[in-house]
Amino acid sequence: MESIAYDLRQMQRTPLADEHVAALRAAGTERVYPKGAIVVRQGEPITCFTFVEEGEIEVVDAYTDERAVPSTLGPGQYVGEISFLSGGVSTLRMRAACDTRVIEVERQKMLTLMAQIPEMSDIIIGVFAARRRRQLDQGDSSLRLIGEEASADIRRIAMFASRNRVPYQSLPLGSAEARATAGSCGIDTDRPAVIFGKDHVVTDPTPHRIARLLGLNLDFSVDERVDVLIVGGGPAGVAAAVYAGAEGLRALVVEDIAVGGQAGTSSRIENYMGFPTGISGADLVWRGEVQAMKFGTRFSMPHRVTGLEVMEDGCFCATFDNGQSIRCAAVVVATGVQYRRLPIDRLEALEGKGVYYAATEIEARYCRDTEVVIIGGGNSAGQAAMYLSRVAKCVHVVVRGPSLAASMSDYLLSRLDADPRIAIHLNSAVTRLIGEDRLEGLEMTNRETGAVRHIPSSALFIMVGAAPNTEWLSGLVELDSNGFVRTGSTCGDADSPYATSQPGIFAVGDVRAGSVKRVASAVGEGSVVISKVWEHVRSTG
């Protein structure tokens, strides 16, 4: 762990070469900040790249105005974070620790400069990514959540932030730090809250409000048009985003929950080429997102497409759940699948209150030293069991069928069998949930013998079935009997295995009928489809 921390410290301070600094001077303007002047305010759009020539810039606590991080940025260093690429907002407050002279390069000019000088781009993106990782590891951000453990609404915000790799601090309700933070904002110290600096208390917090606050939710003008709209931010969608940007297409990715999709909830993927020790789904897809942003692809969330219309000129108009719309020459459908809800009484009422559909670091907090139940027999369920067994007293894997061999990779099955904290229950089903305001236990029934077992549990994970997200496409493209999108020869197009029955609409990844439900295949499909998208965009002018 110490070597990792050292590597991060080094990466955050990788210097630019002399020729890179010369390019900054030629493209930017010089500015002097007197001691105490605010250089960056949390919540404000990042409009420029700031390079320090003389002086010192420090990170400031947005609630106390005191220095928040021991180290500072001095001559040769630069201000910024990964949201610079997407045009997001700063999550930190920064000021001049002494009289400081800087070079400021307007954001669009800087992005052009980075595209022209890839060596400089690689250094800057590496530094920004390392800074975001440090922020996530240390909870270094102006966004603070009070009472996550006591409020389902606050937990929903924590899950949204965590899955979108937004750094935040979680403060237990009633703790000294929570009281001090609430007091600095002039609000009740004994109630859950979402705060972004002492001047911004978020009322009625929702993922949409937080996304807008952080610049994740883009606004679209009525006459805006992109070359390709990629619907879905899982592995297939992000791979398409990387290749679309690399080919010079104006691409927009919209996602209704979090970039990463269902794969983003996988705690450890061990069979993806190039990562022999494994990588989390969230890390894998986030790397792709940063790579796509480097090429100019934009991401916006949470956005759900509610309608898609074919225009007279052959282009498309997509309408979102917030009423906004955007025109595009082509559409890549990469909406993947979602776990099915099971017919268990009061299931919906307890979702987010002990019933979950993802096993990430957030959910693992609620599983410490308790019994956990996972319903499902696929790789996602197996990965979740291995991950949660590190913190739970016992993990029960409930499988409806008589075996796991046909649905789970052999390496995972062997590990589950060998882990003393994991119990596999075949031919079984969860038949009853216990608890009023939150899950307190459940009953599991053996489908062969009828025997009922009570399990005291505060965490139930449902990872079974696969329902495609294609309601918004009904009547526009051909779907199979299960709602998956027909492509290629199955819908009369022999030219591309990813083309749908509607010219200009393509489908990749798990949402496509007949696809292999694996991350690697989804990435491959998203990468390959762009060549046909490019041909279609070029032919439509």
Side-chain angles (χ1 to χ4, degrees):
M1 291 297 294
E2 180 60 32
S3 63
I4 292 176
Y6 175 77
D7 288 343
L8 281 174
R9 288 196 298 269
Q10 291 297 102
M11 287 175 66
Q12 291 170 54
R13 294 179 172 275
T14 306
L16 295 175
D18 291 344
E19 58 267 28
H20 301 156
V21 177
L24 295 178
R25 288 197 181 98
T29 57
E30 189 176 284
R31 181 172 178 178
V32 174
Y33 286 94
K35 179 180 179 180
I38 298 300
V39 180
V40 176
R41 287 181 171 82
Q42 78 282 356
E44 290 191 352
I46 303 176
T47 58
C48 66
F49 179 88
T50 304
F51 180 85
V52 181
E53 289 208 293
E54 290 181 1
E56 190 177 12
I57 293 177
E58 60 186 356
V59 178
V60 181
D61 188 299
Y63 300 88
T64 65
D65 286 333
E66 298 176 356
R67 180 181 290 185
V69 178
S71 58
T72 59
L73 297 176
Q77 299 301 310
Y78 39 94
V79 177
E81 50 186 289
I82 201 68
S83 51
F84 173 83
L85 298 177
S86 60
V89 304
S90 175
T91 60
L92 296 172
R93 183 180 177 89
M94 307 190 77
R95 73 182 172 201
C98 58
D99 291 349
T100 301
R101 180 165 56 87
V102 303
I103 299 171
E104 291 185 342
V105 184
E106 187 268 331
R107 177 176 168 272
Q108 200 54 54
K109 282 186 179 179
M110 188 63 196
L111 292 176
T112 300
L113 204 60
M114 290 168 66
Q116 295 169 345
I117 312 175
E119 297 82 6
M120 179 174 71
S121 175
D122 291 345
I123 293 173
I124 292 172
I125 290 175
V127 169
F128 285 175
R131 287 176 180 172
R132 175 54 57 91
R133 182 175 169 185
R134 179 192 62 78
Q135 283 187 272
L136 291 168
D137 290 345
Q138 299 181 9
D140 183 14
S141 172
S142 300
L143 180 63
R144 294 186 181 177
L145 312 184
I146 299 176
E148 178 187 337
E149 75 289 350
S151 166
D153 288 339
I154 304 299
R155 282 198 297 277
R156 194 172 297 113
I157 300 304
M159 291 175 189
F160 175 79
S162 178
R163 290 195 59 188
N164 283 290
R165 302 187 74 87
V166 173
Y168 68 93
Q169 290 186 44
S170 181
L171 308 178
L173 193 65
S175 66
E177 192 171 3
R179 289 178 177 274
T181 297
S184 70
C185 303
I187 62 174
D188 191 332
T189 58
D190 294 315
R191 298 186 64 180
V194 176
I195 309 169
F196 192 49
K198 61 184 178 182
D199 298 324
H200 199 132
V201 178
V202 183
T203 57
D204 187 24
T206 64
H208 277 86
R209 289 179 185 271
I210 298 303
R212 183 158 295 280
L213 182 69
L214 297 173
L216 300 176
N217 192 317
L218 304 180
D219 286 323
F220 309 116
S221 61
V222 293
D223 57 349
E224 186 171 0
R225 171 175 163 160
V226 295
D227 292 325
V228 56
L229 174 67
I230 301 169
V231 187
V238 172
V242 171
Y243 279 81
E247 292 300 323
L249 293 173
R250 291 170 297 166
L252 170 68
V253 180
V254 293
E255 165 61 47
D256 69 341
I257 299 175
V259 172
Q262 196 177 99
T265 68
S266 294
S267 55
R268 191 179 185 189
I269 300 172
E270 291 189 75
N271 57 356
Y272 192 87
M273 188 184 73
F275 296 93
T277 59
I279 185 172
S280 74
D283 278 341
L284 179 66
V285 181
W286 186 66
R287 292 180 185 209
E289 181 186 1
V290 172
Q291 193 173 6
M293 288 192 294
K294 167 187 171 181
F295 289 124
T297 296
R298 293 184 298 163
F299 290 76
S300 187
M301 69 217 67
H303 279 303
R304 178 179 287 272
V305 179
T306 57
L308 187 64
E309 181 182 1
V310 183
M311 309 301 288
E312 292 182 0
D313 59 0
C315 291
F316 303 94
C317 181
T319 303
F320 304 115
D321 51 358
N322 63 356
Q324 290 187 333
S325 60
I326 194 168
R327 292 170 63 93
C328 54
V331 179
V332 173
V333 181
T335 47
V337 297
Q338 59 189 5
Y339 294 122
R340 296 184 189 275
R341 278 199 175 109
L342 295 176
I344 305 174
D345 188 41
R346 300 191 65 251
L347 179 71
E348 191 171 351
L350 292 173
E351 288 176 352
K353 303 175 183 178
V355 174
Y356 308 106
Y357 294 86
T360 68
E361 180 185 353
I362 294 293
E363 292 82 9
R365 296 179 191 174
Y366 314 131
C367 300
R368 191 167 299 280
D369 299 324
T370 187
E371 294 192 47
V372 171
V373 178
I374 299 173
I375 302 176
N379 278 1
S380 294
Q383 290 161 351
M386 292 300 303
Y387 178 62
L388 296 173
S389 68
R390 302 174 186 173
V391 295
K393 184 188 301 181
C394 178
V395 177
H396 301 272
V397 180
V398 181
V399 184
R400 185 177 181 83
S403 171
L404 282 173
S407 58
M408 186 178 292
S409 294
D410 184 67
Y411 80 92
L412 266 177
L413 184 54
S414 299
R415 291 184 181 180
L416 263 61
D417 285 336
D419 194 322
R421 290 194 177 189
I422 296 176
I424 300 174
H425 305 273
L426 302 175
N427 295 307
S428 299
V430 172
T431 50
R432 182 177 172 230
L433 304 181
I434 302 168
E436 293 301 321
D437 295 329
R438 67 174 295 107
L439 184 69
E440 296 174 0
L442 54 83
E443 288 182 357
M444 179 181 65
T445 302
N446 185 290
R447 299 174 63 240
E448 288 186 321
T449 66
V452 177
R453 174 176 175 177
H454 175 267
I455 300 177
S457 175
S458 58
L460 169 65
F461 295 83
I462 299 176
M463 299 179 168
V464 61
N469 301 311
T470 54
E471 299 89 351
W472 57 284
L473 287 169
S474 181
L476 190 59
V477 302
E478 287 186 24
L479 307 176
D480 70 7
S481 59
N482 294 313
F484 291 89
V485 182
R486 293 185 185 276
T487 59
S489 59
T490 65
C491 66
D493 191 322
D495 187 46
S496 169
Y498 311 116
T500 69
S501 57
Q502 173 65 52
I505 300 181
F506 303 82
V508 292
D510 289 3
V511 75
R512 189 176 66 83
S515 66
V516 179
K517 305 299 188 279
R518 289 289 185 268
V519 171
S521 62
V523 170
E525 292 186 11
S527 305
V528 173
V529 74
I530 293 302
S531 63
K532 292 299 180 182
V533 171
W534 190 86
E535 288 179 11
H536 178 81
V537 171
R538 184 180 61 173
S539 68
T540 58

